[in-house]
Amino acid sequence: MSRLRMSLAEAGVPLTCLYAVIQVFYHTAQKRLRDLKSKISAQSKRNFVLERDVRFLDSRIGLLIQNRMALDEQNEVEKHLEDVDATEGHFPDDRKMQQYSNLFFLLQSEPRHIASLCRLVSLSEIDTLLQTVMFTLYGNQYESREEHLLLTMFQSVLSSQFETATEFGSLLRANTPVSRMMTTYTRRGPGQSYLKSVLAERINSLIEHKDLNLEINPVKVYEQMIIQIEEETGSLPPNLPRGVPPEVAAANPDVQAIIAPRLTMLMEIANSFLLTIIDSMESVPYGIRWICKQIRSLTRRKYPEATDYAICSLIGGFFFLRFINPAIVTPQAYMLVDGVPAKFPRRTLTLIAKMLQNLANKPSYAKEAYMITLNPFVENNKARINQFLNNLCEVGDFYDTLEMDQYMALSKKDLVIHITLNELYNTHSLILQHVETLSPNDKQHLRILTDELGAAPPQVPRKENRTVELQLYSRWETPIQDIQSALMDSVSSSDMLYMETKSIFVQLIRSLPQVADKRPYNLQAIAERAATTKDATLVRKGIKVKEMLRELEEQKIIDRSDGYQLMQDEVAAELVHLGNLREKVIAETKSLDAVYKTICDHNNYLRGQLEQYKAYLQNVRLTASKDKGATTGVGVVTVGGKEKKPMKPVVLGPYRFTHAQLEKEGIIVESNVPDNRYVLSPALAKSTPFINVRDCRRPNIYFNITSPTPGTFIIALHYKGREKAILEMDLNIDDLLEKQKDNKHLLDLEYVQLNVPKVLGLLNKVFTKR
């Protein structure tokens, strides 16, 4: 900004214009930040819905692959692929909408109802409820009131979990609605932002080393060793048999020699990850730290004899097991990297995550005894990780702030949520199922509202599932004229006047850059300056705060003779605490820009998966065998009730792609084809001795993809100058989808390994519309 000031001064621009420029910039940056936060909140919900659809379709496609899906189930899959049609369906009438407005205001402002409901629903129902709770009811992820209400709900759920726990070891570990809630919470915008800023750079620097093999499982190291020996010598010595048990592999001196330096390197890498995470403590989202605090507090009350280490293991179970480690093991799912990491880095990341898990929890080596060799890392860092986890819990509470927010919410007319019809009806239905538990007294507000609403409407078809804007307001609203009257019972009017005066001065100093650098602050002059600006808002605040200063002086709370020293000191301290707001806004905007891009990229990836399922379902309909009652089958088309032989399938392709093109798009993950060197890999040279060595380079390699029938493909690897392919592989869409469903992301073509989701995307892009 000093450079801008100098440039404008050199150009003869008056200082008042500079301040106007600064103020416009500040307000523009603030608006940009608000817009970004709103977009991230909305996009997070879209992604959650898409991820849930993809999980459902993964399971149903699995049945279809195994030929066990009935026609009605195929129709169910098809419904999940429909887009909402804004012209279809209808809204509830005005009276119903008013009742839903009252109900959802009550649910939002009294989180105990949702907390109880989350404990009562089944595991199969929790995802739909979480969509409404996390991304609709409390969907504004950067608005303090909604965030604090959501955390209050978490506190209630966690308290119940601890009350009903039968043993310490089972706390927060099983896959329950509560654990699903905690995981879903970490996937919101602030959590994604943290993971991106803290882990992305470190993970990307690690996966650049594609050939760095840090495997320490003796059985795998032994197998890799004998494969290499056989490739180099053509045979195996008698003292190195195949398929040896773990203890024999671990006792082999050569295996030990291979593993020893890898252990050192693994511990160094894990230590660098740990240091990065520890140094990032101040960046951890407040909500995640507050949940850690509740886990510690509840554990101390429920198990007073528990050691600090045992308590930290529960905190670490949430922070590492449900938040940090999933992003390390599958960084592509969190959009921290482009594409799936190569084989060796992928294994290294898994080992790093296991080391952090063993560090944060009581380590267990029963299933993977070889991990005990990394125990020095655990022992050396145990005290440090416990200190970090305890420090995570050191955050303030928000109850006082929330109380004021709640009072203010009663007087607001702009509380709005955007909710789909099916979210309305599903939440209504779940409440009715459990209303006797949620609201046993028929005089309670929740029971009154649900009795008036009556039975829940059925779920509407997907294409009619429109989004409505639901204004929230209380049925039992008490008009509130101002904050003072709202808090008269707990806070004196003079205290409220003092706090409000201080708050206005902080706002004025932020809005008037020309007075921000002048110390000490002359509060009277600042008020006068604001009252005489051309900004109507500042004028109102300036006039108001001058009157407030006079009232405080009359009440002898502050004194003009000392320059209102008490108020002046507190305003200065508040501004120091807030820091340079402009720089914070710029930094936060930059960070959230990256998060928003990441979330949008993930949304595109999920939409691509749904497009693949659409294409697949279409292919199934074309090639399905003729079942009882079905109207079509393989080789048969129904026209006007009469069977007619279909036209001969048209062969599509071949479509040509270069090695460089597929590598650039991330479809090729690993390649054994030489780059620009005239050297063949041993495997390639052995299997294709007829190839000219000078031709076998990546610039001369290309791939032809053909689709002889719907759902089947042939990928042929060629090199320039020869008509015959080096390699041909027949692919079936079923096999690819099954690999994706089983989370197997690599397709091995002997000389190259392909990214399965991106191969599916390419096939969908090239063949679906042809």
Side-chain angles (χ1 to χ4, degrees), residues 55 156 159 210 227 281 293 323 356 367 498 557 565 581 630 680 758:
R55 280 201 305 274
S156 177
S159 297
K210 295 182 179 181
I227 288 172
M281 189 182 68
K293 177 181 179 177
F323 182 38
L356 293 174
K367 295 182 180 178
Y498 184 87
I557 296 173
Q565 189 66 47
L581 194 65
L680 284 173
K758 291 194 174 182

Side-chain angles (χ1 to χ4, degrees), residues 308-322:
D308 186 56
Y309 178 68
I311 295 171
C312 285
S313 73
L314 284 182
I315 301 168
F318 165 62
F319 185 77
F320 282 98
L321 191 62
R322 301 197 179 279

Side-chain angles (χ1 to χ4, degrees), residues 509-619:
I509 293 170
R510 286 182 186 172
S511 303
L512 296 167
Q514 61 268 41
V515 303
D517 296 330
K518 295 180 180 178
R519 305 290 178 86
Y521 295 122
N522 185 331
L523 299 185
Q524 189 70 37
I526 291 170
E528 188 65 38
R529 181 149 201 159
T532 56
T533 62
K534 293 182 179 180
D535 186 315
T537 302
L538 291 180
V539 169
R540 283 195 301 273
K541 287 182 179 179
I543 294 171
K544 181 178 181 180
V545 83
K546 283 171 65 178
E547 179 61 25
M548 294 168 88
L549 280 177
R550 187 189 61 76
E551 287 183 36
L552 288 171
E553 195 171 0
E554 286 179 358
Q555 296 177 23
K556 301 191 182 304
I557 296 173
I558 57 176
D559 191 347
R560 181 195 292 258
S561 64
D562 65 2
Y564 308 121
Q565 189 66 47
L566 178 64
M567 174 78 68
Q568 183 189 119
D569 291 344
E570 291 196 22
V571 167
E574 185 74 11
L575 287 165
V576 169
H577 175 69
L578 292 171
N580 187 322
L581 194 65
R582 174 183 160 274
E583 290 181 2
K584 283 188 175 181
V585 167
I586 293 172
E588 190 176 0
T589 301
K590 186 177 179 181
S591 172
L592 292 183
D593 263 325
V595 172
Y596 183 58
K597 182 182 182 303
T598 297
I599 292 176
C600 288
D601 288 345
H602 191 46
N603 184 269
N604 291 334
Y605 166 74
L606 293 169
R607 288 188 176 280
Q609 284 191 294
L610 293 181
E611 287 300 319
Q612 293 158 20
Y613 291 141
K614 283 183 182 178
Y616 179 62
L617 194 61
Q618 184 180 9
N619 289 333

